[in-house]
Amino acid sequence: MRRAITLAGGGPACGLQIGALKRIAEEQIDFDIWALSCIGAWVGVIYNQFDKAEAPAKTEAFFRDKIFRNDRSYARFPINQVFAPDLLNNVGAATSFLADPRSYQDILMPRAMLEAVRSNLEFVFDPRRWSQGEFNLLVLENMAAHPFSRLMTSLLYLSHVNGLSRIYYPDSRFLESIDFDALTAPNKPFLYHNAWNLDQRRLELFANRLKPGFKKLTANSLCACSALPYIEETVELDGDTYCEGALVDTVNFKNLLQDFGKIDEVWILRIVAKSQIRQPVNLKDGLGNLCMLFAASVGEDDIKLFKYHAQEDGWDGKIIEIPVDASVGFDWNESNFDVGVEAGYRAADARIQKYREDEAAEAVPKRMGNGEGKPPAAAATSRSSPARAPS
């Protein structure tokens, strides 16, 4: 039996994957190929750096201790433990912006300032415009005309900072805690993740072993695969700039059936679904929905396309998909992580039971075909007996 597993993107819902892997390990189901993207790449890499027996427990401890934040701290600081701002680079970008004479071009716009004064007077003397929408638009246009507001807004949006945080620091203790050399051991499966090359405008793959079409999986590439635009700064690798590959292929099915010979089963651990989207009550919720709604839709479409192409290519293997639990949210706190682990374990348990039942049902006709069994007496009918109509 030759199996592949895909761990999709989904950020703080990764507890679902860790719980599912824990249950799968108990069943002693192994995988030859791990196709990874975004947070799924982190789960797959961290899981496989450990020995098989201790991987589930140590992976769970790694994410809880090093990535997720305890509930009390998260309640008033809703950011995980690794999304740190790049302070030195931010100061440098601001200094370069303010020192560049071109940054002051079109800061002072007399005509726009006069137009803003005219709009203010019209608003004051026209009661028909006294509405919330009109007032907010008036404030916006006043800010757009004010020189100081224009300078500060352009400093914020136009200086050379393209993400709220940065995760790749070569000398960080966080990345040093991941043993990338362990992934190259002969007994390890083939792992690969994706990332989008912004310069070459293509999806590229990074693996723990040399193989045509794959680049080397490193700490740098792992950070590149989860550099979600605006949230995380882009990552430079071999002279090119990369961002998250899950934007293009959330489940990372690219060439899975073409590059690895015969695969009998593909297990899918997608962790984001549209049913998890909740009405936002603050900017934290709104930002989570912005990231995860696209991941849910793209992930569902990826699976549909994969099934379609697999059928068109005549692939006779099986797809085992672990269902996504809607109880998991998009918070980087320990309680949400624990909910995900428990829900992932339950979902995998139910799917494995169905998997074993299907195996047993398939084994019966095989044994009968080898002369090892006889059809049940109740199922035997003569040629002259009419078949019963279904009730």
Side-chain angles (χ1 to χ4, degrees):
M1 179 67 68
R2 184 170 168 81
R3 297 186 180 96
I5 185 171
T6 64
L7 303 186
C14 64
L16 289 169
Q17 292 173 338
I18 295 171
L21 289 173
K22 181 188 295 188
R23 178 64 186 93
I24 292 171
E26 292 175 354
E27 203 69 14
Q28 297 184 354
I29 296 175
D30 296 322
F31 301 97
D32 303 280
I33 301 139
W34 292 59
L36 315 169
S37 65
C38 194
I39 194 69
W42 292 86
V43 173
V45 165
I46 292 166
Y47 186 93
N48 282 283
Q49 73 171 332
F50 302 120
D51 293 334
K52 186 185 298 186
E54 59 186 11
K58 286 196 171 183
T59 302
E60 182 177 353
F62 184 100
F63 276 81
R64 179 180 286 106
D65 297 341
K66 296 183 182 296
I67 297 179
F68 284 77
R69 189 174 293 278
N70 70 72
D71 288 26
R72 187 175 180 183
S73 174
Y74 190 83
R76 287 295 174 264
F77 195 77
I79 301 171
N80 65 29
Q81 295 189 67
V82 294
F83 284 3
D86 187 358
L87 297 177
L88 185 61
N89 181 62
N90 291 352
V91 170
T95 302
S96 298
F97 180 87
L98 294 174
D100 187 349
R102 293 173 297 180
S103 300
Y104 301 92
Q105 293 177 356
D106 297 327
I107 289 297
L108 185 64
M109 301 184 66
R111 180 175 296 181
M113 296 171 66
L114 290 174
E115 181 64 23
V117 171
R118 186 186 65 80
S119 296
N120 290 337
L121 292 174
E122 288 181 354
F123 180 85
V124 170
F125 294 106
D126 187 356
R128 293 174 299 178
R129 297 183 58 185
W130 293 356
S131 66
Q132 183 179 1
E134 286 291 324
F135 178 75
N136 290 340
L137 289 174
L138 183 68
V139 171
L140 176 65
E141 291 309 310
N142 274 273
M143 292 175 64
H146 196 288
F148 182 76
S149 174
R150 292 178 62 80
L151 179 63
M152 290 296 101
T153 303
S154 59
L155 172 63
L156 178 64
Y157 284 97
L158 302 179
S159 57
H160 293 165
V161 176
N162 61 27
L164 296 176
S165 56
R166 175 184 172 188
I167 194 171
Y168 179 63
Y169 296 95
D171 54 352
S172 71
R173 288 189 300 166
F174 172 66
L175 289 179
E176 288 176 352
S177 66
I178 304 174
D179 188 358
F180 288 89
D181 291 335
L183 302 177
T184 62
N187 64 330
K188 296 297 182 180
F190 188 91
L191 300 105
Y192 71 97
H193 70 73
N194 59 21
W196 180 256
N197 188 323
L198 290 162
D199 292 306
Q200 305 300 325
R201 301 181 184 179
R202 66 190 181 202
L203 193 69
E204 295 184 355
L205 304 176
F206 301 80
N208 62 331
R209 292 201 184 94
L210 294 177
K211 184 179 176 66
F214 293 79
K215 296 184 176 181
K216 184 179 180 181
L217 191 159
T218 62
N220 200 351
S221 73
L222 185 61
C223 293
C225 90
S226 57
L228 180 64
Y230 186 75
I231 305 298
E232 291 286 336
E233 289 184 11
T234 55
V235 175
E236 186 173 328
L237 182 60
D238 296 332
D240 285 341
T241 303
Y242 290 82
C243 70
E244 179 176 312
L247 294 167
V248 179
D249 191 347
T250 300
V251 195
N252 199 13
F253 287 129
K254 182 175 174 60
N255 299 335
L256 179 59
L257 300 180
Q258 289 78 23
D259 290 345
F260 300 99
K262 180 174 174 55
I263 298 176
D264 300 294
E265 294 178 355
V266 175
W267 290 58
I268 300 173
L269 269 66
R270 185 170 60 88
I271 56 176
V272 185
K274 291 192 286 289
S275 59
Q276 295 168 321
I277 306 299
R278 304 287 188 270
Q279 179 179 344
V281 297
N282 48 42
L283 287 178
K284 172 185 70 67
D285 294 343
L287 185 59
N289 284 353
L290 174 66
C291 302
M292 300 307 170
L293 188 54
F294 89 82
S297 300
V298 174
E300 292 173 2
D301 292 341
D302 284 347
I303 293 173
K304 293 176 183 176
L305 287 171
F306 177 72
K307 292 178 179 178
Y308 171 79
H309 288 298
Q311 183 178 11
E312 288 292 304
D313 294 341
W315 181 62
D316 59 355
K318 293 181 181 178
I319 295 176
I320 296 91
E321 184 176 359
I322 308 295
V324 180
D325 194 291
S327 64
V328 179
F330 305 138
D331 289 321
W332 290 101
N333 58 354
E334 290 180 353
S335 61
N336 186 57
F337 177 71
D338 292 337
V339 168
V341 172
E342 294 174 6
Y345 186 95
R346 291 195 308 268
D349 181 68
R351 187 62 185 88
I352 287 173
Q353 289 186 33
K354 177 66 167 57
Y355 174 76
R356 294 306 187 196
E357 291 171 2
D358 293 343
E359 276 189 328
E362 292 172 359
V364 172
K366 289 181 180 178
R367 290 198 300 270
M368 290 172 57
N370 293 331
E372 298 179 10
K374 296 180 180 180
T381 58
S382 66
R383 290 180 179 271
S384 58
S385 302
R388 293 182 58 188
S391 58

